[in-house]
Amino acid sequence: MKEPITLEGYQVTLRDLATTDLEMVRQWRNDPAVSQYMFDQQRISPEQQAAWFERQSQDPRQRHWVIEYRGQPIGMAYLKAVLENEDLQSPSRIEPGLYIADLNYRGNILAFAPTLLMNDFCFQRLGASCLQATVKADNHAALRYNCTLGYREAERHDDRVFIELIARDYEMASGPIRSFLNRPVRSQQ
Amino acid sequence: MTNQDILVDCFTTALAITSDTVTEALAYNSIPEWDSIAHMTLVAELESRFGVMMDTDDIIDMSSVAKAKAILGKYGVAFEG
């Protein structure tokens, strides 16, 4: 069993995915608004979801969180070690990913918050040297989103774009976003 | 320029849309131009033009033109009519 890790900051909380979340997450993942950007478009059954949860719970190379804002679940986030011989204890390359399922926050600056939390965690606590992602070439919103965070295109094959992020580029690019999400909130004043 | 004119100007600049699109009902997710990046640009534009600094709750809650006016009102920006 993996050690529980909760990340908090930028107004959101990332808490470990639990069995009680599985049906909610399955419905999110099967929503065409979410699944259209996934490489795997297959509709997921409750049995497949349970089997996936069991596998990822035991896998030291990946971790999945539920994103919460104001105590409500709004989406999912994950980290995966890229190299076969590494786990998430001290990975050199990590693939982060997320989706915002709650329509109220999908086009909102808040969508950056879980990514900032995970990227800080990867670079500062896990000591990763590079983050990477594969994005559908027609997912212009995700490409723009990642570009804003400092990602650069590494390769392009058919319908896929491979992008990478190093810590220095991330620190420089994410400054303005942090400044908006790190301000005082009313409940703290 | 009235505050309403400035507000419309902020939206057209930040979202790269025409001024006739900027109605009270315009909300994020209703047009592709208003995404998380444009949202950030919009907040920067509003803060710069109206000389205010909003707290994070208000930034996150700014989900429509009507809501933007209500939030700016809390910072002393009055809109005619």
Side-chain angles (χ1 to χ4, degrees), chain A residues 75-138:
Chain A
M76 279 286 294
Y78 69 82
L79 296 179
K80 292 179 181 173
V82 173
L83 302 179
E84 289 293 331
N85 60 343
E86 292 183 343
D87 60 23
L88 279 179
Q89 292 296 318
S90 54
S92 57
R93 294 180 77 89
I94 301 175
E95 179 191 327
L98 87 156
Y99 60 81
I100 302 294
D102 188 331
L103 271 177
N104 291 319
Y105 303 110
R106 201 172 285 166
N108 193 293
I109 191 173
L110 188 71
F112 283 107
T115 301
L116 293 177
L117 259 184
M118 285 198 295
N119 289 6
D120 290 354
F121 180 71
C122 290
F123 285 127
Q124 294 163 16
R125 283 175 57 185
L126 299 181
S129 58
C130 185
L131 307 186
Q132 68 178 55
T134 307
V135 181
K136 279 186 161 184
D138 63 355

Side-chain angles (χ1 to χ4, degrees), chain A residues 103-104 108 144 183 186, chain B residues 28-29 35 47 54 58 60:
Chain A
L103 271 177
N104 291 319
N108 193 293
R144 257 166 45 87
R183 292 180 186 176
R186 284 188 293 271
Chain B
Y28 62 50
N29 290 322
D35 61 11
E47 289 192 337
M54 292 177 264
D58 288 328
I60 293 169

Side-chain angles (χ1 to χ4, degrees), chain A residues 183-184 186 189, chain B residues 47 50-59 62 68-79:
Chain A
R183 292 180 186 176
R186 284 188 293 271
Q189 292 173 331
Chain B
E47 289 192 337
F50 287 111
V52 299
M53 183 181 257
M54 292 177 264
D55 68 34
T56 299
D57 281 337
D58 288 328
I59 292 171
M62 192 174 289
K69 289 172 76 168
I71 288 169
L72 286 165
K74 296 191 329 188
Y75 294 87
V77 180
F79 291 91

Side-chain angles (χ1 to χ4, degrees), chain A residues 18-189:
Chain A
T19 49
T20 48
D21 299 315
L22 287 185
E23 184 51 27
M24 170 187 73
V25 170
R26 189 180 73 86
Q27 289 187 19
W28 285 349
R29 178 63 176 75
N30 283 337
D31 180 347
V34 170
S35 64
Q36 66 176 317
Y37 298 116
M38 306 285 181
F39 288 107
D40 183 0
Q41 302 273 316
Q42 180 191 189
R43 194 167 174 81
I44 296 166
S45 69
E47 294 74 23
Q48 287 171 314
Q49 182 79 351
W52 165 81
F53 178 74
E54 199 53 41
R55 279 197 309 278
Q56 72 85 29
S57 302
Q58 309 295 327
D59 186 351
R61 300 182 62 241
Q62 58 180 300
R63 178 175 288 279
H64 295 256
W65 287 285
V66 170
I67 305 164
E68 289 189 343
Y69 175 61
R70 293 177 179 163
Q72 297 300 312
I74 64 166
M76 279 286 294
Y78 69 82
L79 296 179
K80 292 179 181 173
V82 173
L83 302 179
E84 289 293 331
N85 60 343
E86 292 183 343
D87 60 23
L88 279 179
Q89 292 296 318
S90 54
S92 57
R93 294 180 77 89
I94 301 175
E95 179 191 327
L98 87 156
Y99 60 81
I100 302 294
D102 188 331
L103 271 177
N104 291 319
Y105 303 110
R106 201 172 285 166
N108 193 293
I109 191 173
L110 188 71
F112 283 107
T115 301
L116 293 177
L117 259 184
M118 285 198 295
N119 289 6
D120 290 354
F121 180 71
C122 290
F123 285 127
Q124 294 163 16
R125 283 175 57 185
L126 299 181
S129 58
C130 185
L131 307 186
Q132 68 178 55
T134 307
V135 181
K136 279 186 161 184
D138 63 355
N139 189 354
H140 303 293
L143 289 169
R144 257 166 45 87
Y145 174 94
N146 285 305
C147 181
T148 304
L149 288 159
Y151 273 89
R152 295 169 192 260
E153 185 175 326
E155 284 180 64
R156 188 177 280 254
H157 291 300
D158 302 324
D159 64 337
R160 294 171 186 226
V161 183
F162 301 92
I163 55 176
E164 293 180 336
L165 177 67
I166 58 172
R168 193 183 61 176
D169 288 347
Y170 169 60
E171 289 303 323
M172 288 178 63
S174 61
I177 313 170
R178 289 168 194 277
S179 73
F180 286 122
L181 289 170
N182 262 341
R183 292 180 186 176
V185 294
R186 284 188 293 271
S187 55
Q188 291 172 355
Q189 292 173 331

